[in-house]
Amino acid sequence: MTLFTKAVADDCAMVTALIPPNLGPHDFQATPATASALSQAQVLVENGLDMEGFLEKLVSSAENENLVTINTSSGVKTLESSEPDHHDHVEVNPHIWLDPVRAAQQVENIRDGLVKADPDCASTYQKNAELYTQKLKDLHNNIANQLQPYSGKSFVAFHDFAPYFAERY
């Protein structure tokens, strides 16, 4: 989400990663500095789909009534997870960004959220989102062409990250 947001925001906003690059959301432990950053932030961009399960408590403890949250998964078609939660409920697979077409929808959601939060930079957000979604469309076409000979073949993955990629290609 950080890379997508930086691509859209460019110089109109300072984008800071909440989770350090060497960690994933499953290993992340918030610190007082994390809560402090959220208490001062204007916008929070999240993948959604319970990917960042720690956020609800963290946002609440930040006590930032003006914080605008952009859920990038809004309106994106999802797939069920093949890994049920600890209560054996079927959940939604949150790894939507691994399909470039769905990732482009996430970038558009970021654009729309930033335009709403900061209308003064609307033209920059719109232009940058258009450029980035074109890159994602080009990536999609490139992957589709490279993987076309393998259409219908199976592959094995060790984690439930690949269904969106597999469905697309």
Side-chain angles (χ1 to χ4, degrees):
M1 297 309 98
T2 303
L3 294 175
F4 293 170
T5 305
K6 283 182 177 183
V8 175
D10 197 25
D11 292 334
C12 278
M14 182 176 69
V15 178
T16 305
L18 193 61
I19 300 174
N22 60 335
L23 290 178
H26 306 296
D27 303 317
F28 175 71
Q29 294 292 318
T31 65
T34 311
S36 176
L38 274 176
S39 71
Q40 299 172 35
Q42 294 173 304
V43 176
L44 171 65
V45 179
E46 66 177 359
N47 183 75
L49 303 173
D50 292 327
M51 184 70 170
E52 305 95 343
F54 60 87
L55 271 180
E56 189 174 334
K57 282 185 182 179
L58 191 56
V59 168
S60 176
S61 68
E63 298 180 351
N64 182 345
E65 294 177 14
N66 297 317
L67 184 66
V68 173
T69 300
I70 301 171
N71 182 337
T72 67
S73 65
S74 181
V76 178
K77 182 182 174 213
T78 58
L79 300 173
E80 288 184 355
S81 175
S82 63
E83 297 178 352
D85 70 9
H86 61 279
H87 300 292
D88 292 327
H89 297 122
V90 175
E91 295 185 347
V92 171
N93 184 314
H95 301 95
I96 56 178
W97 71 92
L98 295 174
D99 168 2
V101 175
R102 286 177 170 96
Q105 289 179 275
Q106 290 184 280
V107 169
E108 291 168 358
N109 286 337
I110 292 168
R111 174 203 61 208
D112 294 347
L114 291 177
V115 165
K116 188 173 181 180
D118 181 19
D120 291 342
C121 272
S123 62
T124 298
Y125 299 141
Q126 290 166 346
K127 177 189 72 146
N128 291 341
E130 185 177 317
L131 292 171
Y132 201 75
T133 55
Q134 185 58 53
K135 286 182 181 182
L136 289 168
K137 288 174 185 175
D138 293 344
L139 175 64
H140 160 64
N141 291 331
N142 188 2
I143 293 170
N145 288 334
Q146 287 185 24
L147 294 181
Q148 196 286 321
Y150 306 101
S151 180
K153 303 285 184 189
S154 297
F155 67 94
V156 177
F158 72 95
H159 181 64
D160 195 21
F161 75 92
Y164 292 102
F165 188 85
E167 180 193 61
R168 180 66 58 194
Y169 305 107

